[in-house]
Amino acid sequence: AGSGGSAANINILSTSAWGWIFDTCTIKLNNTNAASVINIGQGTGGGGDDQFCQFINTTVDLGAAGHDINLRSCHFEWRGGALAGTSPTTLFTTTGNGTFGVTALIEGVDLSVCTGTLVEVSGALTGLIEFRNCKLGAAVGITTGTRPGPGGIHVLVGNCDSGDTNYRYVYDCYEGQITQETTIVR
């Protein structure tokens, strides 16, 4: 979507119930305008229930640090594939209509391009975003933002890390964070 500095979004949504599967594809924001985004799910303005999107062995290619994937009141799965292009400041953001939450599973995806943050959590939306068996960037942050309350987005990172050591574990929610610890010994 787009070219040069012109803003262009990719919108995967409908006001009716839907389910879309992208198998062995490239989803590309082909511009440098920081306002461009990949929207998945209806979000505000009607609809919101029975929405499903799956990426299988799909590459998401971003053209600017301000680009992100905005999960909006849907169920999303990304299995296999990679993040390519420019490292985003934040990979996933969330918005919604307040009625329906978001669930996301990102499994076996090479996210090593991302050196910013995986999930922005200040959106007024409930749900769980889970990362499993993913390759992460060496300095990637897990969450950013301030949650509006205990019903907000929960983030789970299991068996993900940079390099060959996939032992990183993080469970991040309003109440606090649980992480692995590899240096404390008795």
Side-chain angles (χ1 to χ4, degrees):
S3 64
S6 300
N9 296 338
I10 295 174
N11 296 313
I12 304 170
L13 53 90
S14 173
T15 56
S16 301
W18 58 269
W20 294 340
I21 297 174
F22 298 83
D23 192 344
T24 317
C25 299
T26 297
I27 310 290
K28 184 172 185 172
L29 285 174
N30 193 38
N31 66 77
T32 58
N33 190 302
S36 297
V37 64
I38 299 170
N39 291 308
I40 302 176
Q42 179 59 25
T44 60
D49 62 336
D50 299 325
Q51 299 186 35
F52 173 73
C53 180
Q54 186 176 47
F55 293 172
I56 301 170
N57 296 320
T58 293
T59 298
V60 173
D61 192 340
L62 305 177
H67 292 173
D68 63 77
I69 300 170
N70 184 16
L71 300 176
R72 304 165 11 144
S73 298
C74 68
H75 179 76
F76 173 69
E77 293 180 2
W78 185 2
R79 297 176 184 268
L83 178 67
T86 302
S87 172
T89 303
T90 302
L91 179 57
F92 289 100
T93 58
T94 59
T95 57
N97 62 14
T99 304
F100 307 102
V102 63
T103 57
L105 173 62
I106 298 84
E107 183 173 32
V109 179
D110 184 349
L111 302 173
S112 59
V113 166
C114 185
T115 57
T117 304
L118 293 177
V119 181
E120 197 280 322
V121 296
S122 62
L125 194 65
T126 64
L128 172 67
I129 300 176
E130 181 178 358
F131 298 85
R132 254 192 243 159
N133 304 318
C134 293
K135 185 173 183 179
L136 303 178
V140 71
I142 303 302
T143 62
T144 187
T146 302
R147 287 180 174 82
I153 296 294
H154 293 227
V155 178
L156 176 62
V157 177
N159 203 35
C160 301
D161 211 344
S162 59
D164 295 331
T165 56
N166 289 345
Y167 53 73
R168 189 170 189 175
Y169 176 87
V170 177
Y171 179 71
D172 188 292
C173 62
Y174 176 82
E175 294 80 8
Q177 187 178 82
I178 300 170
T179 60
Q180 88 288 343
E181 174 58 62
T182 59
T183 57
I184 296 175
V185 294
R186 181 173 180 210

